[in-house]
């Protein structure tokens, strides 16, 4: 079954404590992307990756890092989380041509206190 | 990804058809048009996509204008479970979402 798996689903952490949200896909997609979603602001792209070791900033990259060492994995790293990064996060994987559907993870609800 | 424009919200009665419009006037010739929907606190769910021709699947139909500057998602018989935010995306290589259309379905 094609799927994107995010972990954890829920996370409460304290300001400044580094954390990583993992994302893994089993469809051999070249492209992967991270979004955050806040009330009234829709899905905003944080970072995306076109292939292994190829990443680029989205619309709201400040305070986040990503890496793409393997095709299937695209972790999101918050090195020093702050309360304004409290949000719902989604990972997606998709093909570069657009001829097939994109797949999304179930989401990670992060609270930074 | 080309910019898309959708109405902020629409309302439909249950069991009636719904036509959700989307403008994508700057779409390039190779960009697919994708539609996704999202329920509260869930990840976006694929609905349908197309390039030039109209498309049908078990969930919906997609009507694409001849000049490809607009498209319409058609839900043939809206149910309460169809109430969601619907996103139209002119699919380049970044998969960028616009604000979407909030669809409300009345029983």
């Amino acid at each position: 079954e094609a799927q994107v798996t995010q972990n954890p689903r829920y996370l409460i952490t304290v300001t400044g404590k580094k954390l990583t949200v993992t994302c893994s896909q089993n469809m051999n997609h070249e492209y992967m992307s991270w979004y955050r979603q806040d009330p009234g602001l829709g899905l905003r792209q944080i970072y995306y990756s076109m292939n292994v070791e190829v990443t680029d900033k989205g619309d709201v990259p400040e305070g986040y890092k990503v890496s793409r060492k393997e095709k299937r994995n695209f972790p999101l790293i918050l090195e020093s989380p702050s309360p304004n990064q409290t949000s719902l996060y989604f990972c997606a994987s998709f093909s570069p041509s657009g001829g097939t559907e994109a797949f999304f993870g179930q989401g990670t609800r992060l609270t930074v206190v | 990804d080309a910019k898309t424009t959708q109405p902020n919200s629409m309302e439909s009665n249950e069991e009636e058809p719904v036509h959700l419009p989307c403008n994508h006037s700057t779409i390039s010739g190779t960009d697919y048009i994708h539609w996704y929907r999202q329920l509260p606190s869930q990840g976006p769910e694929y609905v349908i996509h197309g390039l030039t021709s109209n498309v049908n699947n078990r969930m919906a139909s997609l009507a694409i204008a001849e000049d490809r500057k607009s498209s319409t998602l058609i839900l043939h018989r809206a149910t309460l479970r169809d109430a969601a935010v619907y996103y139209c995306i002119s699919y380049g290589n970044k998969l960028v979402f616009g604000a979407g259309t909030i669809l409300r379905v009345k029983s």
Side-chain angles (χ1 to χ4, degrees), chain B residues 16-77:
Chain B
E16 291 185 356
V18 182
H19 290 232
L20 296 165
C22 180
N23 287 320
H24 28 78
S25 57
T26 60
I27 192 170
S28 75
T30 55
D31 285 356
Y32 280 79
I33 298 151
H34 281 232
W35 283 82
Y36 295 83
R37 70 182 186 182
Q38 187 181 26
L39 297 170
S41 297
Q42 293 188 23
E45 173 190 30
Y46 167 78
V47 178
I48 200 166
H49 76 283
L51 185 61
T52 56
S53 305
N54 294 344
V55 184
N56 301 295
N57 66 19
R58 63 175 179 81
M59 289 181 71
S61 295
L62 176 60
I64 301 172
E66 201 168 324
D67 63 6
R68 294 197 353 110
K69 294 183 185 300
S70 66
S71 62
T72 301
L73 178 70
I74 303 163
L75 306 178
H76 295 285
R77 291 179 65 191

Side-chain angles (χ1 to χ4, degrees), chain A residues 75-76 110:
Chain A
L76 180 69
L110 173 65

